[in-house]
Amino acid sequence: MFDTTPITAPPKRHWHQFSLRTLFVVVTLLAIPCAYVGWQAKIVVKRKVMIEKIVEGGGAFSYFVPPIPPANYAPPESVPWCRHLLGDCEVWIIAPPASMEDDQAYAIKEMFPEAKVQGID
């Protein structure tokens, strides 16, 4: 009449358990590199906007070294690898528009430390 075989419960799944402290430590450790990448992305956007303003104003810039560099040529500083991944490149020379004021030219030099800015260098 009745089934006398013992009923076996399905095996319990043992999920990994983490403490709240571990969660906070992991989130904090992940926030540090994310903040760095965000900071570098902001710099990349500012540099691209500045290049657009220079070109719109009639200025010019060059990403590439000429085939025969001048005698006093020094290779440009490198931008961090993170900014390369975000689409940034080293700028070799910048010719700001003639209408640009000196303080704007110095702002360009601060934003592009690896570049030679005509009129300043």
Side-chain angles (χ1 to χ4, degrees):
M1 283 178 118
F2 295 104
D3 187 16
T4 57
T5 58
I7 299 176
T8 57
K12 292 184 178 182
R13 292 184 180 178
H14 296 286
W15 296 101
H16 294 288
Q17 294 181 356
F18 300 101
S19 68
L20 192 58
R21 181 186 342 164
T22 304
L23 176 69
F24 286 150
V25 168
V26 169
V27 167
T28 303
L29 291 177
L30 286 176
I32 294 169
C34 288
Y36 177 75
V37 170
W39 176 44
Q40 295 298 320
K42 192 174 181 180
I43 292 172
V44 170
V45 169
K46 284 182 179 180
R47 285 171 60 112
K48 287 182 179 182
V49 168
M50 183 63 77
I51 288 290
E52 288 175 5
K53 285 182 183 179
I54 291 169
V55 172
E56 286 174 1
F61 72 98
S62 175
Y63 284 123
F64 305 107
V65 176
I68 301 173
N72 60 354
Y73 172 74
E77 296 177 17
S78 176
V79 297
W81 64 271
C82 179
R83 290 200 340 227
H84 275 291
L85 293 177
L86 295 170
D88 200 5
C89 296
E90 291 89 359
V91 176
W92 182 60
I93 192 166
I94 298 175
S99 62
M100 190 169 279
E101 298 176 9
D102 287 342
D103 60 337
Q104 291 175 332
Y106 285 109
I108 291 172
K109 184 60 182 171
E110 283 183 21
M111 194 168 296
F112 296 94
E114 75 276 9
K116 293 187 183 237
V117 179
Q118 290 181 346
I120 295 178
D121 293 334

